[in-house]
Amino acid sequence: MIVTSHAANDSHCYAIKNTDQKNFCLALVKKKDSYCYNIRESDSKHMCVAQIKNQKSYCYSIQSHDVKNHCLALLK
């Protein structure tokens, strides 16, 4: 699972070697869901889109029970 981060500087994202984590970071920093769709790991992709769009409906597509609950807890 990808750990969420609210870094304000995208240069730190580019320093991340793991492609999925890099795209998750860029999506959050730039607030663009297009980066989420480049994430290969399905649960992380759904978590990313849910956060960027602030829509709980994406959380329900997450397979891992723990990750799904984490997603639901993050969104209002």
Side-chain angles (χ1 to χ4, degrees):
M1 185 186 122
I2 293 177
V3 176
T4 57
S5 170
H6 290 83
N9 188 340
D10 66 354
S11 66
H12 295 289
C13 297
Y14 289 109
I16 298 171
K17 292 187 185 343
N18 178 288
T19 305
D20 282 354
Q21 290 180 12
K22 182 186 300 180
N23 281 314
F24 200 109
C25 181
L26 288 167
L28 291 179
V29 171
K30 295 180 179 248
K31 298 181 182 356
K32 292 186 178 178
D33 66 349
S34 59
Y35 289 102
C36 298
Y37 295 110
N38 290 327
I39 297 172
R40 284 175 267 153
E41 199 278 311
S42 180
D43 284 354
S44 296
K45 182 184 298 186
H46 292 300
M47 171 77 100
C48 181
V49 176
Q51 285 186 272
I52 297 302
K53 294 188 174 199
N54 196 32
Q55 292 182 7
K56 284 187 177 189
S57 60
Y58 291 98
C59 299
Y60 295 107
S61 297
I62 295 172
Q63 297 299 310
S64 166
H65 183 69
D66 289 344
V67 177
K68 183 184 299 182
N69 282 321
H70 180 195
C71 183
L72 290 167
L74 287 173
L75 302 176
K76 296 177 181 175

